[in-house]
Amino acid sequence: MLDSLATSHTEIIRVLDRPAEPDSAAQGVQYALVWPHLAAWADYGSIAADLAEQHHEPEPGPTYEERQSWTARAHAALRQGGALDLIESWHVADGRRITLAYLIEDDDSTVVALAGDPDASDWEIIGHYVHEYAAGQALPRAVPPGVLRPDAASRFNRPEPVPEQPLQELLREIVEARTAGDVSEVLLSSTQEGVGAGAMVRLGHLLYAAEEFSDALGTVRSQQIGARIHALARQLDSLIREVHDAAEDLGATVAVLPPHRVPKPPRIRPRPALETAPPAAPPPRTPTTARRP
């Protein structure tokens, strides 16, 4: 990635050093050629900046015996009803996952750093600190997090999304429908596959993407959650098929709403007749003086 960014940087500098004539065809071609390089830096320049700031020297960690002692203490606390209240986690340059947590034991809490997966059994405590800021100063800095799909399109070059019909609009079409065929078409559109996927199908895509993300986190708990999301997505697949079949059956009824379902008339007060005289104004009140006894 750094080599690719360096190549893009060279191309950008070349254009800046030899710009084309303003408002010329050559300038348009030049802009089109340089745009992918600008987009690459917009997408990934922050990663290069993060790596360039890896100058922090972490403090010397505890000895092996201290790590073993604190790890055994934490496991014992958990067995006795304590807790690890997770704060945040990150990956460091050597590939380890570090997690900050509050180790709660006997109504007392200590900021500790764990190396490994907190949901597994092979993690160990690599440090304890008076507060979170001290932990951040002592521990190795985070490297930039990864991405879900390495081959995903750039945020600046991805195609325009297909226009979607909001759920509120679909609901309004059903409420305003008069025939079974109208409602059938609305339901069928929500279960449509392909480029113009319907709302229910897009919800399925959302669940499968969330499952993919949860699995990619690589922890025991995230993979368990990914399995739950996958089960929900499969249930939604079955529901989509049921809705599609029900929509086709509804359309086959060739039915309309019965005429006795009359719209409720608006509350409009009748106007007075033209020959009706307006009510007489009440006589003016004359002030009276209170008499004293």
Side-chain angles (χ1 to χ4, degrees):
M1 177 175 289
L2 292 177
D3 288 342
S4 177
L5 288 175
T7 301
S8 292
H9 177 265
T10 301
E11 294 300 319
I12 294 170
I13 294 299
R14 181 177 299 154
V15 170
L16 292 175
D17 288 343
R18 295 193 297 271
E21 288 293 326
D23 300 326
S24 64
Q27 186 185 55
V29 173
Q30 199 174 59
Y31 282 177
L33 291 175
V34 81
W35 174 254
H37 302 293
L38 293 171
W41 268 94
D43 274 323
Y44 309 121
S46 61
I47 297 179
D50 253 338
L51 294 175
E53 293 175 356
Q54 295 286 323
H55 302 306
H56 173 69
E57 287 293 335
E59 297 178 4
T63 64
Y64 174 79
E65 290 76 12
E66 290 175 326
R67 294 199 307 270
Q68 291 295 306
S69 173
W70 270 90
T71 302
R73 174 178 168 181
H75 280 286
L78 294 179
R79 287 193 300 268
Q80 295 169 9
L84 278 176
D85 189 0
L86 306 183
I87 304 171
E88 62 174 321
S89 68
W90 64 90
H91 291 269
V92 296
D94 60 8
R96 290 180 300 165
R97 175 187 173 182
I98 294 180
T99 302
L100 276 189
Y102 290 111
L103 173 61
I104 302 173
E105 45 186 349
D106 298 330
D107 297 328
D108 190 20
S109 64
T110 306
V111 176
V112 296
L114 287 72
D117 182 358
D119 300 314
S121 58
D122 56 351
W123 52 265
E124 68 168 347
I125 290 184
I126 59 173
H128 59 94
Y129 312 93
V130 293
H131 44 65
E132 297 173 38
Y133 179 78
Q137 294 300 306
L139 293 167
R141 289 284 191 264
V143 295
V147 295
L148 179 61
R149 296 173 179 170
D151 57 348
S154 164
R155 293 177 297 158
F156 302 95
N157 288 328
R158 58 190 174 197
E160 289 292 327
V162 178
E164 300 176 357
Q165 194 171 16
L167 281 174
Q168 187 63 31
E169 186 175 330
L170 295 175
L171 177 60
R172 184 170 62 248
E173 288 187 9
I174 291 180
V175 171
E176 296 177 353
R178 296 293 183 266
T179 71
D182 295 337
V183 177
S184 173
E185 288 298 325
V186 173
L187 293 178
L188 289 174
S189 70
S190 70
T191 61
Q192 178 181 343
E193 300 276 357
V195 177
M200 295 187 69
V201 175
R202 291 198 303 273
L203 178 58
H205 296 166
L206 178 72
L207 290 178
Y208 281 117
E211 176 207 353
E212 182 184 359
F213 183 92
S214 190
D215 284 340
L217 291 174
T219 68
V220 172
R221 188 176 181 187
S222 67
Q223 291 176 347
Q224 293 172 346
I225 295 173
R228 287 172 54 193
I229 297 176
H230 178 77
L232 293 172
R234 295 297 299 271
Q235 292 177 23
L236 181 61
D237 288 341
S238 299
L239 178 61
I240 290 173
R241 289 191 295 269
E242 290 290 336
V243 171
H244 184 87
D245 293 344
E248 290 184 336
D249 292 342
L250 182 62
T253 63
V254 196
V256 298
L257 291 175
H260 68 264
R261 301 185 66 87
V262 181
K264 187 176 181 180
R267 294 183 178 181
I268 301 177
R269 294 181 179 180
R271 293 185 178 183
L274 294 179
E275 63 273 8
T276 303
R285 298 181 61 183
T286 57
T288 58
T289 305
R291 295 181 179 179
R292 295 184 179 179

